[in-house]
């Protein structure tokens, strides 16, 4: 058939009684309120699925008759009234009503910059864990009533859609989003025109349109370059998430950092805290410095004023994971820097420099441009402190400013609906407001085992229905036979959910070792192929299109799943997304995770599974290194102890695979199938309950954001105000002092004035006298400190005692003294050190300078 095709979309008229559905559809509050999503789905299940659970798109395509009928249906109107009542109650809560809002002033604002945000499948601007965490962070900020705004990019193409062929080869397809279908709205200036910001790139200026998303109380500001006034190349900047070449990457990051700051300025928003969530957004530091220098501040003072209220979170545990750009690329893209600021490009390059390397490192920029830094678990905080130790060269990694806040997850988003009524009954109404209180979760033990097990089995059935749909669609597309499909789905039977089901779902990066389970197929066969104790493994996840080793892992799993002995026992599910993720974490019995230690920065999927009663089986890395608890009679999961770091890769994998097999054979499978008279294992239920009770109160995002408030946000807001007072006079004073310290520090020396006492009776004081050559510094510029402790006590645990300045000596030296009466008996040791100290420092060791006697 020939001729021009003209497209036409006919939108229904929303009945007056239902008009507030449009308001709800434009606030991502629905992403964690399941009754709201169920309300839309009840109008048409097939359309709800076809629009990927997108309420806004749903209302544009709904059948007029269905809407008209619903407007007269008392059952539907009653459900809608309950949803709207909950919605209004939530949004009527005053700002900063939560206890964590109290440290802030009325004019405080936290600006949270991230390259991706994952709230719900209806807004596909995320790829994986970083985005989901950012989305949960925003949701918690809304729940807590914090003064909070997110800043990101509005990609026309989000992450790719994955399909798998019959050989397990991954195929990536990209689909452009129709912004009219997304829960986004363009912002306008005072004259009613669409708001735009301008960003300089080599030889041109790029325009970016400013959009807004509502997430409960929180706003998310997104930038989009797909505009007719931009060149085709510049439109592509925000076309694809993490797409394009290195030029596109730096252009995205400049747009995010520089454009994001300008968008907030254009909106009249004045953040008092700036959170750089991963290094992609670190160019905001340069834009803020540029603005202060343009207003007349010296460069060094502008850097201090900027860094004082910047929080930087790093999410990677390997040096290669930090973004970097060649020096010539930075010079080209910031050629206007010297023109605009009068500051040489060399000084800009120095902010991103690393010892022995020529590239500009975004993590280096983020650390030098911030005074609050953290990793995302205790282990990752230690790893990051070591990786970044060269920024504080004279400090031990244990004492440098790198801190940590262990990640958490948004419980209302990932807790299955079926648990809510049960928890209301046994934990007490209002338990969600007490979700960080461990005592509140003790009520889990009051749930009768049979009731608890029934909920768990129901959730598994829901999962298996979705698994069957996904496998059937994949199998038929690949021309598989119906008989073969029956064999594949023999254990995935929703009507018989009594099969031990183990899930592994995440990004298929090589360090996550998705295929470790298949290290020895014969051993695995002997463990899981018992007809009386069957085991079903569900694998899901994507490998980046450029990650060929990751795609090979996907193919390897598909190959193992196709072996006759594993057919139907191992299923590889394509198209991993948030919808499938929610079903998996709620429905599986065991959540498997076996990364290479210590490369799992945190991980959050195991937290989501644990909150739903799944039991973790994981390497003691990331969050599980602190979450695993085997105290008492009932552990909350199983732990794979990392092999010695001295082993080569093959031996390490062999040892950890052997531990995995032993746990499956000796613990997991026997415990699950050790059924009592009621048809379930009481031991299993006890572990499952303890998994919820110990993990839910600690690893939820309310606790996480609360720690950010206490450790970083509130202190950063205060420090920003301190250094910005009196026209930034304190920032200038601090910058001048740091310059003086750095110039003189090489001349600082310590000398012991007397032979140290080797033995004293208890109760007798020890006198310590040290001569300090200050190299031209003043005595008040330094602290001289004695660290006392047992032999081999690390610096962090030693007791610290400051020596008192007692006057000047000859040759420019100064006397510092301490009389100390030890409070302990036995063998002790002490060390003496000096470091620069100033009342305006954010962290007393932020200069990274230290001299030891």
């Amino acid at each position: 058939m020939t001729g021009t095709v003209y497209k036409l979309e006919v939108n229904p008229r929303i009945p007056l009684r239902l008009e507030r559905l449009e308001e709800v559809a434009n606030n991502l509050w629905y992403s964690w309120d399941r009754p709201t999503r169920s309300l839309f789905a009840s109008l048409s299940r097939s359309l709800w699925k076809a629009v990927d659970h997108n309420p806004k798109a749903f209302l544009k395509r709904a059948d007029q008759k269905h809407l008209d009928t619903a407007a007269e249906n008392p059952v539907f109107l009653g459900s809608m009234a309950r949803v709207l009542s909950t919605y209004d109650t939530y949004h009527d809560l005053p700002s900063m009503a939560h206890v964590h809002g109290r440290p802030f002033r009325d004019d405080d604002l936290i600006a949270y910059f991230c390259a991706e945000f994952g709230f719900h499948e209806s807004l596909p601007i995320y790829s994986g864990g970083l985005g989901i965490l950012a989305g949960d962070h925003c949701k918690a900020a809304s729940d807590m009533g914090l003064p909070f705004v997110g800043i990101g990019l509005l990609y026309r193409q989000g992450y790719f859609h994955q399909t798998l062929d019959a050989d397990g080869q991954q195929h990536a397809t990209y689909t452009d989003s129709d912004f009219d279908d997304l829960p986004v709205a363009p912002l306008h200036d005072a004259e009613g025109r669409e708001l735009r910001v301008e960003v300089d790139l080599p030889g041109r200026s790029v325009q970016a349109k400013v959009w807004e998303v509502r997430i409960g109380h929180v706003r998310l500001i997104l930038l989009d370059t797909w505009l007719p006034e931009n060149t085709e190349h510049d439109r592509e900047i925000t076309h694809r998430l993490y797409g394009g070449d290195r030029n596109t990457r730096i252009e995205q990051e400049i747009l995010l950092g520089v454009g994001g700051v300008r968008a907030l300025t254009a909106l009249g928003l004045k953040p008092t805290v700036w959170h750089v969530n991963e290094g992609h957004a670190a160019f905001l530091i340069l834009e803020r410095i540029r603005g202060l220098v343009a207003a007349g501040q010296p460069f060094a003072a502008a850097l201090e004023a900027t860094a004082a209220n910047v929080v930087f979170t790093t999410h990677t545990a390997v040096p290669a994971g930090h973004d970097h750009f060649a020096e010539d690329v930075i010079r080209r893209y910031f050629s206007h820097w010297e023109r605009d600021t009068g500051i040489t490009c060399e000084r800009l390059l120095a902010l991103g420099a690393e010892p022995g390397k020529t590239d500009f490192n975004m993590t280096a920029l983020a650390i030098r441009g911030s005074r609050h830094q953290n990793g995302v678990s205790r282990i990752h905080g230690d790893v990051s402190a070591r990786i970044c130790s060269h920024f504080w060269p004279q400090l031990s990694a244990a004492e440098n400013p790198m801190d940590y806040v262990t990640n958490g997850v948004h419980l209302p988003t990932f807790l299955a609906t079926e648990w809510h009524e049960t928890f209301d009954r046994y934990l007490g109404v209002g338990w969600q407001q007490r979700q960080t209180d461990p005592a509140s979760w003790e009520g889990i033990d009051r749930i009768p085992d049979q009731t608890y097990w029934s909920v768990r089995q129901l959730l598994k059935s829901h999962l298996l229905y979705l698994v069957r749909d996904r496998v059937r669609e994949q199998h038929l597309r690949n021309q598989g036979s119906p008989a073969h499909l029956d064999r594949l789905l023999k254990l995935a039977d929703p009507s018989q959910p009594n099969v031990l089901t183990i899930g592994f779902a995440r990004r298929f990066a090589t360090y996550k070792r998705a295929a470790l389970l298949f290290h020895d197929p014969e051993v695995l066969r002997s463990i899981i192929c018992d007809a009386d104790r069957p085991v079903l493994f569900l694998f899901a996840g994507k490998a980046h299109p450029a990650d060929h080793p990751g795609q090979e892992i996907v193919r390897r799993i598909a190959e193992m799943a196709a072996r006759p002995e594993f057919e139907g026992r191992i299923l590889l599910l394509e198209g991993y997304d948030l919808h499938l993720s929610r079903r998996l974490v709620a429905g599986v019995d065991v959540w498997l995770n076996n990364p290479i230690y210590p490369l799992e920065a945190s991980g959050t999927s195991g937290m989501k599974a644990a909150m739903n009663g799944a039991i973790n089986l994981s390497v003691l890395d990331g969050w599980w290194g602190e979450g695993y608890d085997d105290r008492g009679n009932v552990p909350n999961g199983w732990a794979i102890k990392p092999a010695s770091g001295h082993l080569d890769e093959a031996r390490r994998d062999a040892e950890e695979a052997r531990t995995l097999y032993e746990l499956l054979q000796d613990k997991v499978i026997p415990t699950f199938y050790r059924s009592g008279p009621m048809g379930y294992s009481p031991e299993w239920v006890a572990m499952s309950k303890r998994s919820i009770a110990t993990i839910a109160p600690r690893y939820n995002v309310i606790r996480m954001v609360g720690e950010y408030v206490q450790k970083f946000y509130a202190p950063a807001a205060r420090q920003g105000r301190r250094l910005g007072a009196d026209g930034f006079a304190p920032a200038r004073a601090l910058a001048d002092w740091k310059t003086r310290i750095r110039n003189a520090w090489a001349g600082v020396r310590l000398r012991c004035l007397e032979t140290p006492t080797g033995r004293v009776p208890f109760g007798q004081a020890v006198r310590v006298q040290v001569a300090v050559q200050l190299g031209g510094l003043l005595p008040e510029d330094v602290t001289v400190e004695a660290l006392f402790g047992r032999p081999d006590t690390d610096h962090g645990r030693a007791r610290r005692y400051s020596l008192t300045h007692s006057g000047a000596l000859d040759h420019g030296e100064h006397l510092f003294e301490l009389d100390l009466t030890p409070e302990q008996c036995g063998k002790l040791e002490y060390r003496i050190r000096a470091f620069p100290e100033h009342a305006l420092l954010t962290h007393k060791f932020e200069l990274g300078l230290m001299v030891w006697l």
Side-chain angles (χ1 to χ4, degrees), residues 98-119:
H98 195 281
V99 64
H100 292 297
R102 295 173 189 165
F104 298 105
R105 302 194 325 191
D106 289 342
D107 59 348
D108 276 327
L109 179 64
I110 303 157
Y112 182 89
F113 284 67
C114 192
E116 55 173 295
F117 288 85
F119 301 101

Side-chain angles (χ1 to χ4, degrees), residues 767-778:
R767 165 155 285 203
V768 179
Q769 291 184 312
V770 178
V772 182
Q773 174 58 257
L774 292 175
L777 298 178
L778 301 174

Side-chain angles (χ1 to χ4, degrees), residues 481-643:
S481 71
H484 188 202
L485 179 62
D486 288 342
R487 293 200 302 274
L488 289 178
L489 297 176
K490 62 186 177 183
L491 296 181
D493 184 354
S495 66
Q496 298 290 330
N498 54 347
V499 172
L500 174 60
T501 304
I502 300 176
F504 183 105
R506 53 187 46 84
R507 181 167 55 94
F508 281 133
T510 51
Y511 78 87
K512 294 179 182 288
R513 293 191 300 185
L516 184 69
L517 181 68
F518 311 113
H519 186 270
D520 190 330
E522 288 304 309
V523 172
L524 180 64
R525 182 192 60 76
S526 69
I527 294 172
I528 72 169
C529 292
D530 185 335
D532 295 326
R533 301 192 306 180
V535 182
L536 173 64
F537 285 92
L538 301 177
F539 285 86
K542 300 176 180 179
H544 190 280
D547 181 4
H548 298 294
Q551 293 180 53
E552 180 59 25
I553 292 173
V554 177
R555 194 201 61 75
R556 165 75 169 158
I557 296 170
E559 175 190 340
M560 298 304 297
R563 289 175 60 155
E565 64 269 35
F566 297 136
E567 189 176 69
R569 301 178 187 275
I570 297 167
L571 297 178
L572 176 59
L573 309 176
E574 67 181 11
Y576 185 47
D577 58 13
L578 268 173
H579 179 54
L580 177 57
S581 171
R582 288 192 297 268
R583 290 288 183 88
L584 279 168
V585 297
V588 298
D589 298 302
V590 174
W591 195 257
L592 176 63
N593 190 27
N594 38 241
I596 298 172
Y597 178 90
L599 303 185
E600 180 81 293
S602 177
T604 56
S605 58
M607 303 173 188
K608 300 164 190 171
M611 290 176 177
N612 284 283
I615 303 175
N616 277 272
L617 168 56
S618 177
V619 169
L620 287 170
D621 196 9
W623 80 278
W624 190 235
E626 55 197 90
Y628 172 63
D629 185 353
D630 62 349
R631 294 169 296 181
N633 297 326
V634 181
N636 67 351
W638 295 282
I640 301 171
K641 185 178 179 181

Side-chain angles (χ1 to χ4, degrees), residues 432-450:
Q432 289 195 59
Q433 283 68 52
R434 304 187 302 273
Q435 61 181 275
T436 59
D437 179 10
S440 176
W441 292 92
E442 292 174 359
I444 292 290
D445 284 336
R446 294 194 292 271
I447 303 174
D449 285 1
Q450 190 169 358

